Amino acid sequence: ADYIKMNPSYLSRLFKNELNKNFIDCLTDLRMSQAIRLIQQGVDNVKELSSRVGYLYPSYFCKQFKKYTGHTVSDFKRNH
């Protein structure tokens, strides 16, 4: 919002109206899709995964990953 000099609330509303999702949900979708691709490419270190998809804290990444996929990172690696 700052970059394009727009009110954050207004930008959020436009985003929701256009995509039927809020910004955080879209960002989470992108991050988790990328995490899944990285896992499939052999990246298996949670700290590296979380960092590469934009999470500062690996524990929060793990919580979000479980919420998004229904699996822990290690279970996902084993089963996919």
Side-chain angles (χ1 to χ4, degrees), residues 3-20:
Y3 181 75
I4 59 173
K5 297 177 181 13
M6 188 178 282
N7 179 292
S9 296
Y10 180 67
L11 181 59
S12 181
R13 199 170 337 121
L14 287 175
F15 202 90
K16 175 94 173 172
N17 288 342
E18 289 297 316
L19 300 175
N20 296 319

Side-chain angles (χ1 to χ4, degrees), residues 58-76:
S59 59
Y60 184 68
F61 165 75
C62 289
K63 181 179 176 182
Q64 292 300 103
F65 189 86
K66 169 96 176 175
K67 183 177 173 184
Y68 187 84
T69 65
H71 302 280
T72 64
V73 174
S74 57
D75 285 345
F76 191 88

Side-chain angles (χ1 to χ4, degrees), residues 24-79:
I24 294 299
D25 290 339
C26 287
L27 181 59
T28 300
D29 286 346
L30 289 171
R31 286 174 165 173
M32 292 302 138
S33 295
Q34 180 64 19
I36 290 167
R37 272 189 241 113
L38 289 168
I39 290 168
Q40 291 169 339
Q41 293 171 2
V43 176
D44 60 357
N45 181 289
V46 171
K47 188 174 180 181
E48 182 180 350
L49 274 172
S50 64
S51 175
R52 288 181 64 177
V53 299
Y55 285 95
L56 187 57
Y57 302 105
S59 59
Y60 184 68
F61 165 75
C62 289
K63 181 179 176 182
Q64 292 300 103
F65 189 86
K66 169 96 176 175
K67 183 177 173 184
Y68 187 84
T69 65
H71 302 280
T72 64
V73 174
S74 57
D75 285 345
F76 191 88
K77 286 188 277 191
R78 254 192 311 276
N79 297 320

